[in-house]
Amino acid sequence: MDSVNPATGERIATYEADSDDIVESKLGTAANTFDEWRDRPLREREKLLASAGDVLRENEETYATLMTREMGKPIAQARAEVQKCAWACDHYAEYASTYLESEHHPSPPGTTVKTVHEPLGPVLAVMPWNYPFWQVIRFAAPYITAGNVGLLKHASNVPGCAQALEEIFREAGYPEGVFQTLMIGSSKVDGVIEDDRVRAVTLTGSGPAGRAVAETAGRNLKQTVLELGGSDPFIVLDDADLDAAVETGVLARNQNNGQSCIAAKRFIVHEAIYEEYVDRLVSAFADQTIGDPMDETTDIGPQADPDLMAALHEQVTASAEAGATVRTGGEPLDRTGAYYPPTVLTDVPEGCPADTEELFGPVAAVYKVSDAEEAIDVANDTRFGLGASIWTADRERGERLANRINAGCVYVNQLTKSDPRVPFGGIGDSGYGRELSGPGIREFVNRKTVWVE
C-alpha cells in the first residue's frame, strides 16, 4: 500500500499488506482478547480511554502532520481533528458508565427486572480517508469502552494513519488485540465480515460500499451501522444574519477541502436576499487561499486523490453543460497536485449532477426559493438525509422548520457537525444507525433483559 502526498504527487512510504495468515492471526487474537476484555471493569476501560486521549494530545503535531501529508487537509484543521479525538476520549471516559447503566423496569412485587448492556464481540470498522483519525476514534472510543474489541480496515490511501491509530491504543496501555488494524484491500472485506468471530460491522463511506457491506452482513445476521454520503441543505431565509450565514457557509462547504459527508452542499436562499447573499458567497469563495496544506495560511489544500478530483470536475462540467452557471472556480488549477478551487454554481437545473448527486469537493450548488415552504420542499428533494442547516433570526421559526426536514440532524444558525455529546447519523441513502452519545455506544451491545423472581 502506497502513501502518496496529494499536494505533490510524491510517494511518502510503502506499507506491506497483511497476508491471509496474518489476517487469520489477528482475528484469532481479537476473539481471544474479547473473552478477557469484556470482563474488565468498566471503570478500568474508562481510565485506559482517558490515557488514549493523553497520547493524542502529547503527539498532536506528529499525527496532524501525518494526516496532512497523506490526505491533504490544511495543517490547522488536522490539529483540530486530533484535539477533537482527544475530546471524544475524554467524553466517554467520563460518561460511558452513565450511558451503559442498567435500565430498571416495572415488575410484580418481589421481583427485579432490568436491561443490562453487554458487548457483542469483535467489531469491524470500514473507515474513510477524509477524517482519518476522527472517524476511527468516533467508533473505537464508545465501542471498545463498552467491552467490544475493534478491527480497523482503513482507506488504502491513509495506511500511515491506520498504523498510528493502533499505536495510540498500544501506548495508552490497552491489552494486545483490543484494537488492531487490518492492512487489507476492499476485496477482502467480505471475507472478514463472514468470519464467525466478527459480530458487527460499522462503515462510513459511499453508498455502494455501504450496500455491499450491509448485504454481506445481512446474509450473516450481523448488526451494522452505516454512515454514508450526504447532500446537506443550507437554508438561508429572508431574516437571516447574512454576515454569519456567509461566513459559516464558506466554512461549512470548504472545510476539509470540501471533502465531508456533512458539508453544506445545496445552498437554498430566499429570493428577498438571494442576489446579495450569492454575491457575498462568491466573493468569499474566491478569496479562499489555496495552497500547500502545511502552510498555516492555507484555507484549501488539494483533493485527496487526482482521480477523485477528476470525478468532481466531471460532475461540475456536466452540470454546466445542463445549464448551471459557474460563478467562480470550475476548473482544476494548473499546478502540481490535485487542486480544485472553491466553486459556486447557480441556476442549477433539475436532474443534473449538482442537483441529484453528492459533490465531494469544494463545490456549492445554489437555489433561489420564494418562501420557507419552497425551501423545505427543495431541501427534502433528495435521496440523502444526513444533516441540514437553517439560518433565521426567528429561533422558533427555525425549530418549526427543522422538524419538517428529512435528515438525521438539523442545526439552526449553526453548521452541521458531529459532536460526542449528541447522536449522529442519517436516513435514506445516508445510512442508518447512530454513532456518538448514549445511542451510539449502545448500538453494538446486547440489551439483555434480566428477570429475578
Side-chain angles (χ1 to χ4, degrees):
M1 295 184 179
D2 287 334
S3 174
V4 177
N5 187 336
T8 64
E10 296 175 349
R11 185 173 63 185
I12 301 168
T14 299
Y15 297 81
E16 186 173 352
D18 287 345
S19 66
D20 291 344
D21 289 342
I22 291 176
V23 172
E24 168 62 28
S25 176
K26 289 182 176 181
L27 289 171
T29 298
N32 292 334
T33 299
F34 171 66
D35 290 337
E36 301 174 3
W37 178 247
R38 66 180 302 171
D39 294 328
R40 183 76 67 96
L42 179 54
R43 288 297 187 187
E44 291 186 18
R45 298 199 295 263
E46 288 174 328
K47 288 180 180 179
L48 284 169
L49 187 61
S51 296
D54 292 338
V55 173
L56 283 157
R57 278 183 285 266
E58 291 164 4
N59 298 279
E60 177 182 309
E61 196 64 25
T62 298
Y63 299 146
T65 300
L66 176 60
M67 276 190 276
T68 294
R69 294 187 70 203
E70 283 203 320
M71 59 74 56
K73 74 170 70 238
I75 186 65
Q77 295 178 29
R79 293 192 192 102
E81 182 169 337
V82 178
Q83 294 163 10
K84 187 172 185 178
C85 290
W87 174 34
C89 291
D90 294 344
H91 179 79
Y92 281 105
E94 182 174 359
Y95 292 106
S97 295
T98 301
Y99 290 147
L100 296 171
E101 191 172 3
S102 298
E103 301 171 10
H104 291 264
H105 308 289
S107 61
T111 65
T112 299
V113 181
K114 62 183 179 180
T115 296
V116 297
H117 303 100
E118 297 181 347
L120 297 179
V123 176
L124 173 65
V126 182
M127 293 288 107
W129 48 263
N130 58 331
Y131 288 95
F133 272 62
W134 169 243
Q135 300 283 13
V136 174
I137 294 298
R138 194 168 80 182
F139 105 81
Y143 297 159
I144 288 176
T145 308
N148 299 297
V149 299
L151 294 161
L152 169 65
K153 188 281 176 209
H154 217 327
S156 59
N157 61 330
V158 289
C161 291
Q163 291 199 348
L165 284 154
E166 183 174 324
E167 292 167 4
I168 288 168
F169 289 96
R170 187 181 304 118
E171 290 184 25
Y174 281 79
E176 180 184 1
V178 171
F179 183 95
Q180 300 178 88
T181 288
L182 301 179
M183 301 291 283
I184 60 175
S186 299
S187 63
K188 294 190 175 182
V189 168
D190 277 357
V192 175
I193 297 173
E194 291 169 346
D195 192 285
D196 289 340
R197 291 164 290 191
V198 173
R199 301 309 310 150
V201 188
T202 180
L203 175 141
T204 298
S206 69
R211 285 182 170 85
V213 163
E215 181 180 357
T216 303
R219 285 200 310 270
N220 291 273
L221 296 178
K222 296 182 180 181
Q223 292 179 221
T224 53
V225 169
L226 303 180
E227 194 264 276
L228 308 178
S231 186
D232 286 9
F234 189 94
I235 300 172
V236 185
L237 297 177
D238 52 332
D239 62 344
D241 179 338
L242 291 192
D243 290 338
V246 170
E247 180 180 359
T248 305
V250 173
L251 176 64
R253 174 60 278 196
N254 293 310
Q255 69 175 340
N256 206 45
N257 305 335
Q259 300 164 130
S260 172
C261 293
I262 53 172
K265 299 188 173 101
R266 294 178 298 133
F267 287 69
I268 302 168
V269 185
H270 193 286
E271 62 182 7
I273 47 94
Y274 178 85
E275 295 298 338
E276 180 182 358
Y277 185 81
V278 170
D279 287 346
R280 293 175 63 174
L281 188 72
V282 168
S283 178
F285 267 49
D287 285 343
Q288 293 288 287
T289 300
I290 307 167
D292 180 359
M294 288 300 297
D295 189 327
E296 300 286 349
T297 65
T298 292
D299 297 313
I300 308 288
Q303 300 298 281
D305 181 90
D307 291 339
L308 295 171
M309 183 183 71
L312 175 67
H313 185 52
E314 287 179 5
Q315 291 174 305
V316 172
T317 300
S319 299
E321 290 175 348
T325 301
V326 180
R327 297 289 294 268
T328 187
E331 290 288 342
L333 298 185
D334 185 14
R335 59 183 296 176
T336 301
Y339 286 91
Y340 203 83
T343 299
V344 175
L345 303 177
T346 58
D347 310 310
V348 178
E350 184 177 353
C352 75
D355 179 55
T356 61
E357 301 174 8
E358 179 180 28
L359 301 187
F360 210 66
V363 181
V366 186
Y367 299 77
K368 181 195 294 187
V369 294
S370 59
D371 54 28
E373 292 298 317
E374 186 180 3
I376 296 301
D377 289 342
V378 174
N380 288 335
D381 186 20
T382 176
R383 68 182 190 276
F384 297 104
L386 193 52
S389 183
I390 300 173
W391 292 80
T392 173
D394 186 339
R395 294 177 61 181
E396 293 184 0
R397 180 192 195 193
E399 186 172 358
R400 287 196 307 271
L401 295 174
N403 291 331
R404 297 174 57 196
I405 292 181
N406 301 326
C409 57
V410 182
Y411 286 77
V412 179
N413 298 325
Q414 178 62 272
L415 81 166
T416 308
K417 56 188 175 181
S418 57
D419 181 313
R421 298 168 296 186
V422 296
F424 178 79
I427 61 173
D429 278 15
S430 291
Y432 54 77
R434 290 297 179 264
E435 298 177 285
L436 301 174
S437 188
I441 198 172
R442 291 190 293 269
E443 280 283 3
F444 291 149
V445 297
N446 174 21
R447 299 174 178 86
K448 179 190 288 184
T449 296
V450 178
W451 183 299
V452 180
E453 190 75 28

